[in-house]
Amino acid sequence: MAANGGVAGRLRHTLVDAPGSAGARMRARRWELLEQAFPDLATMSVLDLGGTVEWWRRAPVSPKDVTVLNLFEPGDSADPSLLPVTGDACRAREALAAAGAQTSYDLVVSNSLLEHVGGHAQRAALAREVHALAPRHWVQTPYRYFPLEPHWLFPGLQFMPMAARARLAARWPLAHSRPETPEAAMSEVQWTELVGIAELKAYFPGSAIHHERVAGLTKSLVAVGGGAR
């Protein structure tokens, strides 16, 4: 989805998307942490749940091969080492098998997907797929208790009543995209449910929980399983 245009769109780009922005610096730091956790990443077979092939084209490290599974738009690739698959990450093994892709990997990576799959039952299903598909994982998700809701860049949006969240999502100019109808706005907020530390630990017991911080506050959490300590 394209970001809003005008002054608000430019402001969001400056804060989140532009080279040198706070968002860009955090993404670069996340790559550094991923490489520290998995120093042999370049030799690995990787499954990305919820990502895009474009993200991997821009990656500072190219794994041996990457399969990208995304429900809507994994992207296109003519590179045999970068395979896009359209399918549900909560039923990843089924989707991969149907596409003729492998169903065993060295590492599963997932960035900002866990909060969008549709409630506890679906998050638990996603976690089961992660554990079944690889012995190692890197699962990042925004932290529920960071003051600024990251999708709309609005303070405390995640704590507001659902109807109020939907009304604000339909109008707030710093959102990634503006819903076309009130129904679409309601759907977007219903599909966005941030989680806390206890929940992430329950989905990924035994994993190390890394805190990505901004101004000393935890902004995102990463469950790291099987990585270097």
Side-chain angles (χ1 to χ4, degrees):
M1 292 182 290
N4 292 322
V7 174
R10 291 193 295 273
L11 178 58
R12 183 184 176 94
H13 179 76
T14 299
L15 293 172
V16 178
D17 300 319
S21 67
R25 291 194 299 273
M26 177 159 282
R27 288 188 292 273
R29 177 58 179 155
R30 189 174 297 162
W31 267 111
E32 292 175 7
L33 293 169
L34 179 60
E35 292 179 64
Q36 290 171 12
F38 303 104
D40 53 345
L41 181 61
T43 69
M44 286 184 172
S45 177
V46 176
L47 172 64
D48 184 343
L49 297 177
T52 65
V53 296
E54 185 59 32
W55 194 76
W56 286 98
R57 287 195 184 104
R58 298 196 303 264
V61 177
S62 296
K64 180 181 70 174
D65 60 75
V66 179
T67 299
V68 177
L69 179 64
N70 189 300
L71 185 59
F72 300 113
E73 298 177 350
D76 299 308
S77 174
D79 183 347
S81 68
L82 185 54
L83 175 66
V85 176
T86 301
D88 184 352
C90 297
R91 296 170 177 81
R93 285 169 289 177
E94 178 183 325
L96 292 165
Q102 65 194 72
T103 55
S104 180
Y105 299 84
D106 298 317
L107 172 68
V108 172
V109 170
S110 182
N111 282 297
S112 298
L113 174 67
L114 187 69
E115 73 273 20
H116 291 302
V117 296
H120 166 66
Q122 289 292 89
R123 291 194 293 270
L126 177 64
R128 286 194 296 271
E129 295 298 307
V130 170
H131 292 304
L133 284 160
R136 289 171 279 192
H137 59 258
W138 168 280
V139 178
Q140 179 271 344
T141 188
Y143 182 45
R144 174 171 173 78
Y145 299 101
F146 186 68
L148 188 68
E149 203 290 333
H151 303 90
W152 284 274
L153 298 183
F154 189 88
L157 177 70
Q158 65 270 39
F159 306 119
M160 296 170 63
M162 190 66 69
R165 290 168 60 189
R167 287 195 297 271
L168 190 143
R171 297 173 175 83
W172 184 242
L174 293 181
H176 182 265
S177 62
R178 188 76 64 83
E180 295 183 359
T181 65
E183 292 77 16
M186 176 59 78
S187 179
E188 286 190 17
V189 297
Q190 286 178 308
W191 276 102
T192 305
E193 185 176 357
L194 305 184
V195 303
I197 299 168
E199 293 153 289
L200 193 63
K201 285 182 176 180
Y203 296 131
F204 299 99
S207 299
I209 305 299
H210 173 75
H211 293 237
E212 295 183 340
R213 300 182 188 275
V214 171
L217 301 176
T218 298
K219 182 182 182 295
S220 297
L221 303 169
V222 188
V224 183
R229 300 280 178 161

